[in-house]
Amino acid sequence: MTVTVTADMTMSLDGYIAGTGHSVANPGGHGADQIGGWIHARSSWRERAGLGGGEADRDSEIMREWFEATGSVVMGRLMYDSGVDFWGDNPPFRAPVFVLTNRPAPTLVKEGGTTFTFVADGIHSALDQAKAAADGRNVDIAGGADTVQQYLKARLVDELQLHVIPVLLGAGLRLFDNLGLGSHDLEPIRVVDTPGATHLKYRILK
């Protein structure tokens, strides 16, 4: 069974996924609310996080689509370290998560079906394990930027979805740096424009 590998990222109009000063304690850096705030206000995300309320709009539908299509997740250790306390005991993934790291640790089991498995032998091993655990659904390369860049550079991503926020940060962490030589040809799949974001979905042609 073919498993689709996706990357789904929020970014500013000038290409930044985090502002200046980003760290484990402040993963979004300066301007974090401008970049990631649209997600946390959506009813689909709040439902997955065990919260109530939120906006039930087209943005929320796109977020729900991601949740329902994703069978497992790969992320970097920095994303895990900066998010684990925020996600709490019942993280919104509700799926196996494979964490790239050079600090192996026992698998961490959370409520709601989320498990964190720490992979110390590289991006291919993490992806192979994620594909085996995805139960036929997508594997999403969740971030951060360095992790997505590694998978793009290795040409292991099939689909890329960008949620472009109408703000100019001017500086920070760029998504598309460090990709090496060679172009990545993209085939547009969908464009959805809302007041809060423009959602761009592409197929990456090998």
Side-chain angles (χ1 to χ4, degrees), residues 1 15 26 28 66 81 89 98-99 106 114 125 158 174 185 189 197:
M1 181 180 296
N26 184 22
W66 180 92
D81 286 343
D89 293 329
F98 297 86
V99 182
T114 299
S125 175
D158 301 308
R174 286 189 180 276
D185 294 329
I189 298 174

Side-chain angles (χ1 to χ4, degrees), residues 53-199:
E55 298 292 332
D57 53 14
R58 187 68 178 106
D59 296 311
S60 183
E61 291 173 4
I62 289 172
M63 196 72 219
R64 188 182 302 280
E65 177 187 90
W66 180 92
F67 284 129
E68 293 177 351
T70 300
S72 63
V73 174
V74 176
M75 69 176 59
R77 184 63 188 245
L78 179 61
M79 181 176 177
Y80 170 81
D81 286 343
S82 61
V84 64
D85 290 338
F86 175 74
W87 298 322
D89 293 329
N90 189 5
F93 305 103
R94 300 190 186 179
V97 179
F98 297 86
V99 182
L100 292 165
T101 184
N102 57 11
R103 292 175 281 154
T107 296
L108 180 62
V109 179
K110 292 284 192 173
E111 298 174 12
T114 299
T115 57
F116 292 102
T117 299
F118 300 90
V119 181
D121 52 351
I123 64 171
H124 291 86
S125 175
L127 184 57
D128 287 344
Q129 293 180 60
K131 285 182 175 180
D135 194 26
R137 295 190 291 163
N138 295 349
V139 174
D140 190 72
I141 312 301
D146 179 67
T147 298
V148 174
Q149 288 164 6
Q150 288 184 64
Y151 280 97
L152 286 173
K153 188 175 181 179
R155 298 185 180 274
L156 295 172
V157 179
D158 301 308
E159 292 183 0
L160 175 66
Q161 181 161 239
L162 303 173
H163 311 285
V164 181
I165 308 302
V167 62
L168 300 173
L169 286 187
L173 181 64
R174 286 189 180 276
L175 177 59
F176 295 123
D177 285 345
N178 307 312
L179 296 184
L181 298 175
S183 64
H184 289 69
D185 294 329
L186 307 178
E187 177 186 349
I189 298 174
R190 181 181 68 186
V191 177
V192 178
D193 189 29
T194 74
T198 299
H199 308 277

Side-chain angles (χ1 to χ4, degrees), residues 10 33 35-42 59 62-63 163 165 196-197 199:
T10 297
D33 289 343
I35 296 297
W38 77 274
I39 298 174
H40 303 145
R42 306 279 76 80
D59 296 311
I62 289 172
M63 196 72 219
H163 311 285
I165 308 302
H199 308 277

